[in-house]
Amino acid sequence: MEHHQQQDRAGVHPDHVALIQAQWRRERPDLDVSPLAVIGRLHRLADRLTAELTLVYQRYGLSEGEFDVLAAMRRAGAPYERAPGELAAHTMVTTGAMTKRIDRLERAGLVTRRPAEDDRRARVVALTDAGLRLIDEAFTAHLRNEHRLLAHLSPDEAAALQGLLTAWHRRLDAPSPAPGAAQCDA
């Protein structure tokens, strides 16, 4: 295809997102497609990173969600247990999705459920010894993988990216100003 052979002014072949932007500029010159440069690349990068991360989880027989549950329990510290609702909040899924994950982990012998001591209607999910061993091993491999992925950036680039992403995340999560409130250009 002809458009894959095009180069930018610096002599660098454009990536997929740059090609999409060029196509949109041609088709809709009335629109500012500059956000695609960031959002499009982040979206593609997130898909790529998820694929790279899930390869490690799969080696341990875990889905991404199951890894998240075991990791949330491990981070809780001894005795490595949490209420299902707490797990749902720590992993940002619905309680229904959490129940399914816990069911699979329980069938695999990685967690147990028992009534809470203070409320017999409530349940507590706890890591088994096998679950603790598995998440410790899987998390170690996960961190090795994340180090490998970040090795494509210099330490300064990684630190700058961390700062930018943190600032952007905070701003997106900040409460929106009330309608009609004055905007500050800072």
Side-chain angles (χ1 to χ4, degrees), residues 60-62 66 70-71 73-74 79-80 105-112 126-139:
Y60 293 91
L62 299 170
E66 292 163 347
L70 295 177
M73 294 177 69
R74 180 62 172 96
Y80 312 113
L105 292 168
E106 188 174 36
R107 282 193 301 274
L110 301 173
V111 301
T112 59
L127 281 178
T128 63
D129 290 341
L132 179 61
R133 283 191 304 275
L134 182 70
I135 191 56
D136 278 350
E137 191 176 328
F139 185 69

Side-chain angles (χ1 to χ4, degrees), residues 66 69 94-107 113:
E66 292 163 347
V69 171
T94 65
T95 53
M98 182 54 60
T99 298
K100 290 178 184 175
R101 290 178 184 179
I102 293 168
D103 288 345
R104 287 190 302 266
L105 292 168
E106 188 174 36
R107 282 193 301 274
R113 279 186 258 213

